[in-house]
Amino acid sequence: MLSPLRVGVAGLGTVGTSVLRRLDGQSGALRQRTGRDIVVTAVAARSRDKDRDLDLTPFQWFDDPVAMARSSQIDLFVELMGGSEGEAKRAVQAALESGKPVVTANKALLAHHGMALARLAEANHAALAFEASVAGGIPIVKTLREGLAGNQVESVQGILNGTCNYILTRMEEEGLGFAQCLDEAQRLGYAEADPSFDVDGFDTAHKLAILATLAFGVALDISSLHVEGIRGITPADLSAAHELGYRIKLLGIARRSENRIDGRVHPTMVPKSSALAQVGGVTNAVTIYADAVRELTLIGPGAGGEATASAVVADIADIARGVRSAPLGMPVDELEPTRVMPVREHEGGYYIRLNVRDTPGAVARIATRMAERGISFESIVQKQAPRRGGESGTVPVVLITHRTHESALGAALDAVTIDGYIADKPQVMRIESR
Ligand SMILES: NC(=O)c1ccc[n+]([C@@H]2O[C@H](COP(=O)([O-])OP(=O)(O)OC[C@H]3O[C@@H](n4cnc5c(N)ncnc54)[C@H](OP(=O)(O)O)[C@@H]3O)[C@@H](O)[C@H]2O)c1
C-alpha cells in the first residue's frame, strides 16, 4: 500500500467541517477506493477558540494558512476559506509553488485568477482541483473535462445559484414580490445579509466562466460575460410566463457561436416542458448540449456543507489515486482567447411586457413599430385594464416575439417609447427554447 496522503485543511466553516467529518466517516471506503489512507494532519482557520463541534486535537493547528500550505507536514492543501484575494489566493499560490496539489471550492478565486493558478500548477506539476466550485455536489467539472472529452460541446446552460432559484420559485408559487421572498430566503439562511452577489447574477457568472472554459477550451475570462440579476422580475412576469407555458429561471448560458462565445447570465423564459423548468427551490441543474450525447442534464444540491464536501472529497480521492488532469481541461497555453459575441447580436425569441396607455389604436401602433423592424409575434396577450378608465389608465400587454435580433428589438422599443404609447420602461426577457 502507498504511504498515507497527509492533508491540510484551511477553513473550518460550513464546508471545511463537513469535509473533516466526511473524511473521517468514509476513511475505510476511501482507503479501498484509492489504495491508501487519507489522513488530515493539519488545519487552519481564523479563530482557534471557536466551538466547531469537532475534536481538533489530533491536528496541528496553523493560524497562518500560508505557513500551512508550505509546511512539510502536508502533501495536499485544501482551501475552504473563500474570497478571491487575500489569504486564500496567497495560500493556494504557496502550495502550488512548493509543488503541492491543491483542492479548492472557491469559485471567486478561480473566476478571477484561474488562468494564473492553472499555469502555476502546470509549471510545478501539481494538481489544482475545483469540483466543488461549481454547482456544489453536482460533478459538473469532471463531466465536462473527463466524461465528455470525446464530444464537441455546443452549449452549457444552468441554474447555478440556489438562492435565486429559491426566490423565483417562491414568487411563482405564492405570487409574492421579490423583496418578500428575499427576506424569507435570508431568514432561512439561503441568502447572505448582503445578497447582491447572488441576486445580481455575479455568483452565477463566476461559475459560468469556469464552465465555459471547460466546455469550449477558451481562456477563463469573467469580464467577457453579460450579467443581469433577478431584482426586476415581478409577480406579473411570473404569472404571464405561467399562462404562456414558460417558467422564469436565472440561467448562466454559454454557447459557441461560430468562432465566438455567447456567454450570458440573465433571467430567462424556459418552456415548462424543459428539464431546467422542473428544477425548483435551492436545487441546481446544468444542461449540456453536445454532438455525441445530444442533451444531458445533471440535477442536484448546489450548496450546503455535505453536498459540497462530497465534491471536495472526490477531488481529494483523485489526488490520492495520483490523477492529475490539466486543471482547465487542456494546457493553459492551448486555450483559445475568448472572443465574445456582444449581447446586442443575440438572436432569439423575446418576452415583452408593456404597460400600454389605454388609448384607441395603441396596441396596433406598437405592432406596426415592431413590424417596421421585421419583428413578428407568436402571441399577443392584452390583459384587462386594472381599473378601466381609472387612475392608472394603462393596460398590461404581453408579447412573445418570433426569432429576432436584440438590436432590432431595442430600436423598436425605443421608437415605441418615443411615440408615448407606453407608461414605463418595457420589461424584456430572452427566451431559451433549448
Ligand atoms: N457553503 C456552501 O454551500 C458552499 C458551496 C460551494 C462552494 N463553497 C465555497 O467554499 C468555500 C468555503 O465556504 P464556507 O461556506 O464553508 O465558508 P465559511 O462557513 O464562512 O467558512 C470559512 C472558513 O474560513 C476561515 N477563514 C476565513 N478567512 C481566513 C483567513 N484569512 N485565515 C484563516 N482562516 C480563514 C474561517 O475561519 P473562522 O471559522 O475562524 O472564522 C472559516 O472557518 C468558499 O470559497 C465558498 O464559496 C461554499
Short mmCIF file of all heavy atoms in Angstrom, two decimals, residues 377-422:
data_model
loop_
_atom_site.label_atom_id
_atom_site.label_comp_id
_atom_site.label_asym_id
_atom_site.label_seq_id
_atom_site.Cartn_x
_atom_site.Cartn_y
_atom_site.Cartn_z
N PHE A 377 -44.93 38.40 -34.12
CA PHE A 377 -45.30 37.83 -32.81
C PHE A 377 -45.85 36.43 -32.88
O PHE A 377 -46.64 36.12 -33.77
CB PHE A 377 -46.32 38.76 -32.13
CG PHE A 377 -45.78 40.13 -31.92
CD1 PHE A 377 -46.24 41.18 -32.69
CD2 PHE A 377 -44.78 40.36 -31.00
CE1 PHE A 377 -45.71 42.45 -32.54
CE2 PHE A 377 -44.25 41.62 -30.84
CZ PHE A 377 -44.71 42.67 -31.60
N GLU A 378 -45.45 35.66 -31.91
CA GLU A 378 -46.03 34.34 -31.73
C GLU A 378 -47.34 34.50 -30.96
O GLU A 378 -48.30 33.81 -31.20
CB GLU A 378 -45.04 33.50 -30.92
CG GLU A 378 -45.30 32.04 -30.86
CD GLU A 378 -44.21 31.38 -30.04
OE1 GLU A 378 -43.04 31.35 -30.47
OE2 GLU A 378 -44.54 30.91 -28.92
N SER A 379 -47.35 35.41 -29.99
CA SER A 379 -48.60 35.68 -29.27
C SER A 379 -48.62 37.10 -28.73
O SER A 379 -47.57 37.68 -28.43
CB SER A 379 -48.82 34.67 -28.14
OG SER A 379 -47.77 34.73 -27.25
N ILE A 380 -49.85 37.62 -28.63
CA ILE A 380 -50.07 38.94 -28.03
C ILE A 380 -51.20 38.74 -27.01
O ILE A 380 -52.28 38.27 -27.37
CB ILE A 380 -50.53 39.99 -29.07
CG1 ILE A 380 -49.49 40.13 -30.17
CG2 ILE A 380 -50.82 41.33 -28.41
CD1 ILE A 380 -49.84 41.16 -31.24
N VAL A 381 -50.92 39.04 -25.77
CA VAL A 381 -51.96 38.89 -24.75
C VAL A 381 -52.22 40.26 -24.15
O VAL A 381 -51.32 40.87 -23.56
CB VAL A 381 -51.53 37.90 -23.63
CG1 VAL A 381 -52.64 37.75 -22.60
CG2 VAL A 381 -51.15 36.55 -24.22
N GLN A 382 -53.44 40.73 -24.34
CA GLN A 382 -53.81 42.02 -23.78
C GLN A 382 -54.66 41.76 -22.55
O GLN A 382 -55.73 41.15 -22.64
CB GLN A 382 -54.58 42.83 -24.81
CG GLN A 382 -54.90 44.22 -24.33
CD GLN A 382 -55.39 45.11 -25.46
OE1 GLN A 382 -55.23 44.79 -26.64
NE2 GLN A 382 -56.00 46.22 -25.11
N LYS A 383 -54.15 42.20 -21.41
CA LYS A 383 -54.88 41.96 -20.15
C LYS A 383 -55.95 43.03 -19.98
O LYS A 383 -55.88 44.08 -20.60
CB LYS A 383 -53.91 42.03 -18.98
CG LYS A 383 -52.80 41.00 -19.05
CD LYS A 383 -53.33 39.72 -18.56
CE LYS A 383 -52.26 38.67 -18.42
NZ LYS A 383 -52.78 37.45 -17.93
N GLN A 384 -56.83 42.74 -19.04
CA GLN A 384 -57.82 43.77 -18.71
C GLN A 384 -57.13 44.92 -17.99
O GLN A 384 -56.21 44.68 -17.20
CB GLN A 384 -58.86 43.17 -17.78
CG GLN A 384 -60.20 43.07 -18.44
CD GLN A 384 -61.25 42.71 -17.43
OE1 GLN A 384 -60.98 42.12 -16.40
NE2 GLN A 384 -62.47 43.07 -17.74
N ALA A 385 -57.57 46.14 -18.27
CA ALA A 385 -57.02 47.28 -17.53
C ALA A 385 -57.29 47.08 -16.05
O ALA A 385 -58.38 46.62 -15.69
CB ALA A 385 -57.66 48.56 -18.01
N PRO A 386 -56.32 47.40 -15.16
CA PRO A 386 -56.55 47.20 -13.73
C PRO A 386 -57.83 47.92 -13.27
O PRO A 386 -58.61 47.41 -12.52
CB PRO A 386 -55.32 47.83 -13.09
CG PRO A 386 -54.30 47.96 -14.17
CD PRO A 386 -55.01 47.95 -15.48
N ARG A 387 -57.99 49.17 -13.72
CA ARG A 387 -59.22 49.90 -13.41
C ARG A 387 -59.57 50.66 -14.68
O ARG A 387 -58.91 51.65 -15.01
CB ARG A 387 -58.97 50.87 -12.26
CG ARG A 387 -59.98 50.74 -11.17
CD ARG A 387 -59.55 51.52 -9.97
NE ARG A 387 -58.24 51.09 -9.48
CZ ARG A 387 -57.54 51.77 -8.61
NH1 ARG A 387 -57.97 52.91 -8.13
NH2 ARG A 387 -56.37 51.33 -8.19
N ARG A 388 -60.53 50.15 -15.40
CA ARG A 388 -60.80 50.72 -16.71
C ARG A 388 -61.15 52.20 -16.61
O ARG A 388 -62.01 52.60 -15.85
CB ARG A 388 -61.97 49.96 -17.37
CG ARG A 388 -61.71 49.85 -18.82
CD ARG A 388 -62.69 49.03 -19.57
NE ARG A 388 -62.70 49.54 -20.94
CZ ARG A 388 -61.68 49.42 -21.77
NH1 ARG A 388 -60.59 48.82 -21.38
NH2 ARG A 388 -61.74 49.93 -22.99
N GLY A 389 -60.40 52.99 -17.36
CA GLY A 389 -60.64 54.44 -17.31
C GLY A 389 -60.29 55.04 -15.96
O GLY A 389 -60.57 56.19 -15.68
N GLY A 390 -59.70 54.22 -15.10
CA GLY A 390 -59.40 54.68 -13.74
C GLY A 390 -58.06 55.40 -13.69
O GLY A 390 -57.52 55.81 -14.71
N GLU A 391 -57.52 55.47 -12.48
CA GLU A 391 -56.31 56.24 -12.23
C GLU A 391 -55.15 55.87 -13.15
O GLU A 391 -54.51 56.72 -13.75
CB GLU A 391 -55.84 55.95 -10.81
CG GLU A 391 -56.31 56.95 -9.79
CD GLU A 391 -56.03 56.40 -8.41
OE1 GLU A 391 -54.98 55.72 -8.23
OE2 GLU A 391 -56.85 56.64 -7.55
N SER A 392 -54.91 54.53 -13.23
CA SER A 392 -53.70 54.14 -13.92
C SER A 392 -53.81 54.42 -15.41
O SER A 392 -52.88 54.91 -16.03
CB SER A 392 -53.39 52.66 -13.68
OG SER A 392 -54.20 51.88 -14.51
N GLY A 393 -54.96 54.11 -16.01
CA GLY A 393 -55.16 54.37 -17.43
C GLY A 393 -54.23 53.59 -18.32
O GLY A 393 -53.94 54.01 -19.43
N THR A 394 -53.73 52.46 -17.83
CA THR A 394 -52.86 51.62 -18.66
C THR A 394 -53.38 50.19 -18.71
O THR A 394 -54.10 49.74 -17.81
CB THR A 394 -51.41 51.59 -18.11
OG1 THR A 394 -51.43 51.04 -16.80
CG2 THR A 394 -50.77 52.96 -18.12
N VAL A 395 -52.98 49.50 -19.77
CA VAL A 395 -53.38 48.10 -19.95
C VAL A 395 -52.10 47.28 -20.11
O VAL A 395 -51.26 47.61 -20.94
CB VAL A 395 -54.20 47.94 -21.25
CG1 VAL A 395 -54.73 46.53 -21.38
CG2 VAL A 395 -55.30 48.95 -21.32
N PRO A 396 -51.94 46.21 -19.28
CA PRO A 396 -50.76 45.37 -19.48
C PRO A 396 -50.88 44.54 -20.77
O PRO A 396 -51.91 43.90 -20.98
CB PRO A 396 -50.74 44.45 -18.26
CG PRO A 396 -51.87 44.88 -17.39
CD PRO A 396 -52.78 45.76 -18.18
N VAL A 397 -49.85 44.57 -21.58
CA VAL A 397 -49.83 43.79 -22.82
C VAL A 397 -48.56 42.95 -22.83
O VAL A 397 -47.46 43.47 -22.57
CB VAL A 397 -49.85 44.72 -24.06
CG1 VAL A 397 -49.68 43.91 -25.34
CG2 VAL A 397 -51.14 45.52 -24.10
N VAL A 398 -48.74 41.65 -23.06
CA VAL A 398 -47.58 40.75 -23.10
C VAL A 398 -47.41 40.24 -24.52
O VAL A 398 -48.36 39.75 -25.14
CB VAL A 398 -47.77 39.58 -22.10
CG1 VAL A 398 -46.67 38.55 -22.29
CG2 VAL A 398 -47.77 40.10 -20.68
N LEU A 399 -46.20 40.38 -25.04
CA LEU A 399 -45.89 39.96 -26.41
C LEU A 399 -44.82 38.88 -26.36
O LEU A 399 -43.88 38.98 -25.57
CB LEU A 399 -45.32 41.14 -27.21
CG LEU A 399 -46.10 42.45 -27.15
CD1 LEU A 399 -45.26 43.59 -27.72
CD2 LEU A 399 -47.39 42.31 -27.94
N ILE A 400 -44.97 37.86 -27.19
CA ILE A 400 -43.89 36.88 -27.39
C ILE A 400 -43.49 37.00 -28.86
O ILE A 400 -44.33 36.82 -29.75
CB ILE A 400 -44.37 35.44 -27.09
CG1 ILE A 400 -44.83 35.28 -25.64
CG2 ILE A 400 -43.26 34.42 -27.42
CD1 ILE A 400 -43.76 35.27 -24.58
N THR A 401 -42.23 37.32 -29.09
CA THR A 401 -41.80 37.53 -30.48
C THR A 401 -41.34 36.21 -31.10
O THR A 401 -40.94 35.27 -30.40
CB THR A 401 -40.62 38.51 -30.59
OG1 THR A 401 -39.43 37.86 -30.13
CG2 THR A 401 -40.86 39.78 -29.79
N HIS A 402 -41.40 36.16 -32.43
CA HIS A 402 -40.66 35.12 -33.14
C HIS A 402 -39.19 35.48 -33.05
O HIS A 402 -38.82 36.56 -32.57
CB HIS A 402 -41.12 35.07 -34.61
CG HIS A 402 -42.46 34.40 -34.75
ND1 HIS A 402 -43.51 34.99 -35.42
CD2 HIS A 402 -42.93 33.20 -34.32
CE1 HIS A 402 -44.56 34.19 -35.39
NE2 HIS A 402 -44.23 33.10 -34.72
N ARG A 403 -38.33 34.61 -33.56
CA ARG A 403 -36.89 34.83 -33.52
C ARG A 403 -36.54 36.19 -34.14
O ARG A 403 -36.97 36.51 -35.24
CB ARG A 403 -36.22 33.70 -34.31
CG ARG A 403 -34.78 33.53 -34.04
CD ARG A 403 -34.25 32.29 -34.75
NE ARG A 403 -32.81 32.21 -34.55
CZ ARG A 403 -32.24 31.75 -33.45
NH1 ARG A 403 -33.00 31.29 -32.47
NH2 ARG A 403 -30.94 31.73 -33.33
N THR A 404 -35.78 36.98 -33.42
CA THR A 404 -35.41 38.30 -33.92
C THR A 404 -34.06 38.72 -33.34
O THR A 404 -33.53 38.06 -32.45
CB THR A 404 -36.51 39.34 -33.57
OG1 THR A 404 -36.22 40.55 -34.24
CG2 THR A 404 -36.60 39.61 -32.09
N HIS A 405 -33.52 39.83 -33.85
CA HIS A 405 -32.25 40.33 -33.34
C HIS A 405 -32.48 41.26 -32.15
O HIS A 405 -33.38 42.09 -32.19
CB HIS A 405 -31.54 41.15 -34.43
CG HIS A 405 -30.79 40.31 -35.39
ND1 HIS A 405 -31.27 40.01 -36.65
CD2 HIS A 405 -29.59 39.69 -35.28
CE1 HIS A 405 -30.39 39.25 -37.27
NE2 HIS A 405 -29.37 39.02 -36.46
N GLU A 406 -31.63 41.16 -31.17
CA GLU A 406 -31.78 42.02 -29.99
C GLU A 406 -31.65 43.50 -30.36
O GLU A 406 -32.35 44.35 -29.82
CB GLU A 406 -30.73 41.64 -28.93
CG GLU A 406 -30.89 42.40 -27.64
CD GLU A 406 -30.70 41.56 -26.39
OE1 GLU A 406 -30.82 40.32 -26.47
OE2 GLU A 406 -30.42 42.15 -25.35
N SER A 407 -30.76 43.82 -31.30
CA SER A 407 -30.58 45.23 -31.67
C SER A 407 -31.86 45.77 -32.34
O SER A 407 -32.25 46.91 -32.09
CB SER A 407 -29.37 45.41 -32.57
OG SER A 407 -29.48 44.54 -33.66
N ALA A 408 -32.52 44.93 -33.16
CA ALA A 408 -33.76 45.38 -33.82
C ALA A 408 -34.85 45.60 -32.78
O ALA A 408 -35.59 46.59 -32.82
CB ALA A 408 -34.22 44.33 -34.83
N LEU A 409 -34.90 44.70 -31.80
CA LEU A 409 -35.92 44.83 -30.75
C LEU A 409 -35.68 46.10 -29.94
O LEU A 409 -36.62 46.84 -29.63
CB LEU A 409 -35.88 43.60 -29.85
CG LEU A 409 -36.93 43.60 -28.73
CD1 LEU A 409 -38.34 43.51 -29.31
CD2 LEU A 409 -36.70 42.44 -27.77
N GLY A 410 -34.40 46.36 -29.61
CA GLY A 410 -34.07 47.57 -28.84
C GLY A 410 -34.51 48.82 -29.59
O GLY A 410 -35.13 49.72 -29.00
N ALA A 411 -34.24 48.85 -30.91
CA ALA A 411 -34.60 50.03 -31.70
C ALA A 411 -36.12 50.19 -31.75
O ALA A 411 -36.66 51.30 -31.63
CB ALA A 411 -34.03 49.89 -33.11
N ALA A 412 -36.85 49.07 -31.92
CA ALA A 412 -38.32 49.14 -31.99
C ALA A 412 -38.90 49.63 -30.66
O ALA A 412 -39.80 50.48 -30.64
CB ALA A 412 -38.88 47.75 -32.33
N LEU A 413 -38.35 49.16 -29.55
CA LEU A 413 -38.88 49.58 -28.25
C LEU A 413 -38.53 51.04 -27.97
O LEU A 413 -39.32 51.76 -27.34
CB LEU A 413 -38.36 48.66 -27.13
CG LEU A 413 -38.96 47.24 -27.16
CD1 LEU A 413 -38.28 46.34 -26.14
CD2 LEU A 413 -40.48 47.29 -26.89
N ASP A 414 -37.39 51.51 -28.46
CA ASP A 414 -37.06 52.94 -28.33
C ASP A 414 -38.10 53.77 -29.06
O ASP A 414 -38.59 54.79 -28.55
CB ASP A 414 -35.67 53.23 -28.93
CG ASP A 414 -34.55 52.75 -28.03
OD1 ASP A 414 -34.85 52.39 -26.87
OD2 ASP A 414 -33.39 52.70 -28.49
N ALA A 415 -38.46 53.31 -30.28
CA ALA A 415 -39.44 54.06 -31.08
C ALA A 415 -40.80 54.07 -30.37
O ALA A 415 -41.47 55.11 -30.29
CB ALA A 415 -39.57 53.43 -32.46
N VAL A 416 -41.19 52.92 -29.80
CA VAL A 416 -42.48 52.83 -29.09
C VAL A 416 -42.48 53.77 -27.88
O VAL A 416 -43.48 54.44 -27.58
CB VAL A 416 -42.72 51.36 -28.65
CG1 VAL A 416 -43.85 51.26 -27.66
CG2 VAL A 416 -42.99 50.48 -29.87
N THR A 417 -41.34 53.85 -27.21
CA THR A 417 -41.24 54.73 -26.03
C THR A 417 -41.39 56.19 -26.47
O THR A 417 -42.13 56.96 -25.85
CB THR A 417 -39.88 54.50 -25.32
OG1 THR A 417 -39.76 53.12 -25.02
CG2 THR A 417 -39.77 55.31 -24.03
N ILE A 418 -40.71 56.56 -27.56
CA ILE A 418 -40.79 57.95 -28.06
C ILE A 418 -42.22 58.28 -28.50
O ILE A 418 -42.72 59.37 -28.27
CB ILE A 418 -39.77 58.16 -29.21
CG1 ILE A 418 -38.35 58.10 -28.63
CG2 ILE A 418 -40.00 59.49 -29.93
CD1 ILE A 418 -37.26 57.95 -29.66
N ASP A 419 -42.91 57.30 -29.10
CA ASP A 419 -44.31 57.51 -29.52
C ASP A 419 -45.22 57.86 -28.34
O ASP A 419 -46.30 58.41 -28.52
CB ASP A 419 -44.87 56.24 -30.17
CG ASP A 419 -44.31 56.02 -31.57
OD1 ASP A 419 -43.75 56.97 -32.13
OD2 ASP A 419 -44.44 54.89 -32.08
N GLY A 420 -44.80 57.46 -27.14
CA GLY A 420 -45.59 57.80 -25.95
C GLY A 420 -46.74 56.85 -25.67
O GLY A 420 -47.62 57.16 -24.87
N TYR A 421 -46.74 55.66 -26.30
CA TYR A 421 -47.85 54.73 -26.07
C TYR A 421 -47.68 53.89 -24.81
O TYR A 421 -48.60 53.21 -24.38
CB TYR A 421 -48.02 53.80 -27.27
CG TYR A 421 -48.63 54.51 -28.47
CD1 TYR A 421 -47.93 54.64 -29.65
CD2 TYR A 421 -49.91 55.04 -28.38
CE1 TYR A 421 -48.49 55.29 -30.74
CE2 TYR A 421 -50.48 55.71 -29.47
CZ TYR A 421 -49.76 55.83 -30.64
OH TYR A 421 -50.30 56.48 -31.69
N ILE A 422 -46.46 53.89 -24.26
CA ILE A 422 -46.28 53.07 -23.05
C ILE A 422 -45.94 53.97 -21.86
O ILE A 422 -45.30 55.01 -22.01
CB ILE A 422 -45.20 51.97 -23.23
CG1 ILE A 422 -43.88 52.53 -23.72
CG2 ILE A 422 -45.70 50.91 -24.18
CD1 ILE A 422 -42.77 51.50 -23.77
#
